[in-house]
Amino acid sequence: MLNKTRPGLASVMIRKTRRGLAAVVLLTFLAQISLFFIGIMDPYTRARSLWGKSLEQRRGIVCGVGMTLKQIADQFPIDSKIYLIHPQAFVHMNAVYSFYPRTLSVTMSNRRYNTDQEYAAWDEVPSWQWLQTNGFSYVLSFQNGGRRWDVRPGLVLE
Amino acid sequence: MTTDWIQELLAVFIILAAGASVFYLVVRTPERYGRLERWAYCYPLGLVALGIPMFLMSWAGYHPNVPAIGGMTLGALVVFRLARKTPLARFWLMRGERETGAPGFTEAEWLLMMIIVACLGMRLITSMLAPLNDNDGIAEWGLKARILYHDTLRHTDYFQRADLSFSNHSYPLLWPFMYAWVCTCIGRWDDLGMLILNPLNLIAFAILLYYACCRYASRTVALATTACMVSLPALLHYTECGQADVPLMLMAGVCFFCLFDWIHTRSTESLVLSGILMAGCLFTKHQGMVVLGAYGAAAMASVYGTKTRKLLGQLAGVSLLVFILILPWIIFSRRIINYSAETSHVSPATIRWHDLPAALGFIAAGSVEWYNSVKLAKWNLLWPVIALAACCSKCTRQRPWCYIVLVWGLQSAVILLLYLAKREPIGLGLGTEFGLEREALVILAPLWLLLAKCVDEQWRIWKGIL
């Protein structure tokens, strides 16, 4: 009777192996949880760098380009149409957002600008007649420190 | 500043009220859900319940309007209350059946709870301090939200402008509408105030994951899995970004919890909730289509060999519901010209099969690397832990848990193929690396449930119960 209920060597070995594997799984899981401080460091360092600062200072810390573009955009009337010449991918993407609801365009022909090659091939310098006809009031360039022009008869852009 | 807070909370309150009316309409047995769980369900359901009508309003040429949307939401709640006759206070405040008689937390559970609260609290604080700053968040989601705040879908020329193709015109609009909604409540464009929604995604997901895990594992394991999820470095980082991946993770995860509950209990209300949230997935990101395919396959597989006709009827009914909810967006999106250089040419013919070994190697390396290219911690030990736990546990080879493995496999395979078909070679450029990290968060959503089950099984083996 006793011999029948006693587990065999094989089943004891299987049970011990399963327990050993279970211990490994549980330990690695515990290790993953105990690394929580690595995850929390990302928001913590972010919060520490931003705490006690004004909104614009914080914007400058987390997105310097965004702050600069917002300051430039605020100089233009809210309903203005602005033509951006010599666009670069990163600045263009951020500028369209920062300038909205002002219209910021880089194309005369509704051409696609998405890849670096497409931006590198940009050659759409408008004439003052085209700008006036299409309702643009300003021209902007972020090259060489940045420059703006009011659209007026005789304006020549390079 | 104080009034901004009140208006931001009003925006969140109306989202919750919209979700509450849907939950109240659909759920007949509230005692199956925990008290906090019921409230947490209101958030993702509210995003869908507000997002789709706002889209229709904007398409018709109307701006989101606080009195109109708030009035419609409260009106719906009143109408549903009159139709259902279940007292609202009882519905929302009654204890769940698993909550009655549950013992208090142990010391270990309090410790896990502290980790969860610390991670969520820190994320919440940071989200209140940092304005929109992520490049994709600004150029894609933020720009769309800004357009929807100032303009309407009917009047904007955005979808005709090829020079804005960097913002991916064809991306779904649920998340931009939600940002626009918060700004509408604030009364001006506020790219800090609208980010109040970002930590709420994580908080709602953490609560719902905990309750979902509690259905299949012990409370300690459920808390441990939730702590594991909320402390994940990649997730904490992407929660701050104004992108739609974490909202999709929430939507897809909660959708799967409901679907899995249906597979387990065949409760129709869970399937209906799952259908509503699936429509939300499709309206949040294109990846929602991958989620739909994988979850649909799991649901079909679960029906095989059982009372097929009745269950297939339920699935067909919910598929119809999903289709009706997402139909306006399908119609609208068919008119959008896809100018995007990244996705406009993707087809089965563009899959670069010869890149497959390199892509698999890149993904395998990415799952164990500690930091990404910009020195942000990623997964810690998560993927090896999941792989080890899944290999050592019997449940992964048993129904219904094997369906989670199926969902993971299908989603991973489709996303891998999409990356192989895109123009940019996999492994080159930061975009691929970050894109895969974000998509992994969505794939992870159902895996948390599997991890909890596996750890629970291993815990029982260790204790000698199994």
Side-chain angles (χ1 to χ4, degrees):
Chain A
M1 197 69 179
L2 276 174
N3 281 344
K4 270 188 176 177
T5 52
R6 188 184 295 166
L9 183 64
S11 76
V12 170
M13 289 301 289
I14 289 169
R15 192 179 299 170
K16 282 196 170 178
T17 312
R18 284 181 72 198
R19 282 198 77 197
L21 277 173
V24 173
V25 171
L26 293 172
L27 278 173
T28 51
F29 183 64
L30 202 62
Q32 171 70 15
I33 296 170
S34 61
L35 292 170
F36 76 94
F37 60 89
I38 293 179
I40 214 172
M41 283 312 285
D42 176 52
Y44 171 73
T45 46
R46 186 72 127 183
R48 214 176 59 167
S49 68
L50 302 176
W51 192 264
K53 297 190 168 69
S54 72
L55 175 59
E56 288 316 306
Q57 283 174 319
R58 280 181 272 149
R59 195 186 299 280
I61 292 169
V62 297
C63 184
V65 176
M67 186 193 69
T68 310
L69 289 170
K70 188 174 179 297
Q71 286 169 351
I72 297 168
D74 289 342
Q75 297 166 13
F76 293 90
I78 202 86
D79 57 351
S80 54
K81 276 184 90 172
I82 302 147
Y83 194 92
L84 178 66
I85 56 171
H86 308 301
Q88 292 163 315
F90 179 71
V91 177
H92 178 218
M93 289 175 192
N94 281 272
V96 173
Y97 169 83
S98 300
F99 276 69
Y100 206 86
R102 301 162 189 88
T103 302
L104 189 79
S105 180
V106 296
T107 177
M108 296 187 288
S109 54
N110 202 24
R111 200 188 294 172
R112 182 177 84 176
Y113 289 98
N114 197 329
T115 62
D116 288 337
Q117 291 85 348
E118 284 164 352
Y119 278 100
W122 183 90
D123 60 351
E124 300 192 69
V125 180
S127 64
W128 66 266
Q129 292 94 336
W130 185 90
L131 289 165
Q132 278 197 338
T133 310
N134 289 280
F136 285 90
S137 320
Y138 306 96
V139 178
L140 198 58
S141 168
F142 291 120
Q143 270 195 337
N144 304 322
R147 197 175 163 194
R148 68 177 266 189
W149 297 265
D150 294 350
V151 174
R152 52 178 168 69
L155 175 70
V156 178
L157 300 162
E158 291 170 2
Chain B
M1 206 62 187
T2 317
T3 49
D4 278 2
W5 273 107
I6 294 167
Q7 287 149 348
E8 285 167 29
L9 290 176
L10 174 71
V12 174
F13 173 77
I14 293 177
I15 292 172
L16 290 176
S21 45
V22 174
F23 192 79
Y24 181 74
L25 180 70
V26 173
V27 172
R28 305 281 148 165
T29 51
E31 64 278 3
R32 290 183 62 242
Y33 301 87
R35 219 175 348 195
L36 190 57
E37 187 181 15
R38 269 170 254 154
W39 288 104
Y41 264 109
C42 298
Y43 179 70
L45 287 171
L47 296 179
V48 186
L50 279 192
I52 292 174
M54 275 184 200
F55 165 71
L56 291 171
M57 278 175 73
S58 184
W59 196 5
Y62 298 103
H63 271 288
N65 172 317
V66 181
I69 301 249
M72 281 195 295
T73 304
L74 294 176
L77 202 54
V78 171
V79 170
F80 296 158
R81 167 67 185 85
L82 293 172
R84 281 282 315 269
K85 296 194 170 58
T86 310
L88 279 172
R90 189 172 163 274
F91 185 94
W92 293 106
L93 298 177
M94 72 190 297
R95 277 173 172 244
E97 53 195 20
R98 285 192 310 279
E99 288 174 328
T100 43
F105 276 10
T106 62
E107 284 162 358
E109 287 172 337
W110 276 118
L111 188 66
L112 291 167
M113 186 59 103
M114 278 166 58
I115 292 175
I116 294 168
V117 171
C119 290
L120 293 178
M122 192 50 77
R123 187 69 277 165
L124 185 67
I125 291 168
T126 314
S127 292
M128 290 174 191
L129 291 171
L132 189 63
N133 58 78
D134 179 81
N135 195 42
D136 283 357
I138 289 173
E140 292 172 6
W141 308 101
L143 176 63
K144 286 185 175 65
R146 201 156 188 182
I147 290 166
L148 293 172
Y149 171 72
H150 288 285
D151 218 330
T152 66
L153 291 172
R154 189 185 177 90
H155 299 116
T156 181
D157 64 348
Y158 166 72
F159 294 98
Q160 283 80 47
R161 287 185 59 184
D163 63 325
L164 303 183
S165 61
F166 61 79
S167 66
N168 291 307
H169 292 90
S170 64
Y171 278 13
L173 296 170
L174 178 77
W175 200 234
F177 268 114
M178 287 303 118
Y179 279 156
W181 165 243
V182 179
C183 292
T184 304
C185 289
I186 294 170
R188 62 166 199 284
W189 178 255
D190 183 349
D191 59 6
L192 174 65
M194 70 184 193
L195 300 188
I196 191 172
L197 296 180
N198 288 358
L200 290 181
N201 293 322
L202 190 57
I203 292 169
F205 187 67
I207 294 169
L208 292 167
L209 174 67
Y210 166 71
Y211 278 101
C213 290
C214 276
R215 287 176 201 267
Y216 313 105
S218 70
R219 190 175 65 187
T220 313
V221 171
L223 276 171
T225 309
T226 310
C228 205
M229 188 276 292
V230 297
S231 63
L232 198 64
L235 182 54
L236 281 168
H237 170 67
Y238 285 113
T239 301
E240 184 189 310
C241 304
Q243 300 183 26
D245 300 272
V246 176
L248 180 64
M249 179 199 79
L250 165 73
M251 216 66 90
V254 181
C255 173
F256 187 80
F257 300 157
C258 293
L259 185 70
F260 201 68
D261 186 54
W262 175 76
I263 291 172
H264 243 271
T265 63
R266 300 302 182 193
S267 155
T268 316
E269 63 193 32
S270 293
L271 189 62
V272 174
L273 290 178
S274 172
I276 296 167
L277 291 162
M278 180 52 75
C281 291
L282 294 169
F283 197 33
T284 304
K285 263 198 95 183
H286 285 323
Q287 200 185 341
M289 286 189 272
V290 182
V291 173
L292 173 72
Y295 290 11
M300 290 298 286
S302 80
V303 167
Y304 183 74
T306 52
K307 297 171 197 164
T308 313
R309 183 176 284 184
K310 185 188 167 199
L311 296 176
L312 278 178
Q314 287 184 357
L315 277 179
V318 168
S319 304
L320 185 66
L321 172 72
V322 175
F323 180 70
I324 291 168
L325 287 174
I326 204 63
L327 184 62
W329 167 246
I330 293 173
I331 295 168
F332 182 83
S333 62
R334 286 183 70 84
R335 295 156 43 154
I336 299 173
I337 303 163
N338 187 4
Y339 295 109
S340 168
E342 197 183 336
T343 56
S344 56
H345 75 297
V346 167
S347 75
T350 60
I351 296 172
R352 298 182 307 278
W353 290 105
H354 59 276
D355 278 350
L356 183 62
L360 288 173
F362 179 77
I363 291 167
S367 63
V368 290
E369 275 168 1
W370 211 259
Y371 295 102
N372 64 15
S373 303
V374 290
K375 300 289 170 217
L376 281 169
K378 292 166 74 165
W379 313 108
N380 296 342
L381 299 168
L382 184 72
W383 291 106
V385 170
I386 291 177
L388 186 64
C391 290
C392 293
S393 304
K394 272 187 185 168
C395 66
T396 48
R397 297 180 287 280
Q398 294 167 345
R399 283 185 173 199
W401 298 95
C402 58
Y403 300 136
I404 299 184
V405 181
L406 174 73
V407 163
W408 167 77
L410 286 174
Q411 289 197 77
S412 306
V414 174
I415 285 171
L416 178 63
L417 290 180
L418 284 172
Y419 271 81
L420 286 173
K422 281 183 183 176
R423 194 159 285 164
E424 189 177 274
I426 202 160
L428 287 181
L430 297 176
T432 313
E433 185 183 13
F434 299 155
L436 282 171
E437 279 178 17
R438 296 196 303 259
E439 267 135 27
L441 292 176
V442 181
I443 294 173
L444 256 177
L447 282 181
W448 293 113
L449 215 52
L450 183 69
L451 179 65
K453 179 67 182 173
C454 291
V455 169
D456 194 61
E457 186 183 315
Q458 298 302 320
W459 176 248
R460 284 160 184 270
I461 290 169
W462 171 249
K463 296 277 278 182
I465 303 167
L466 269 182

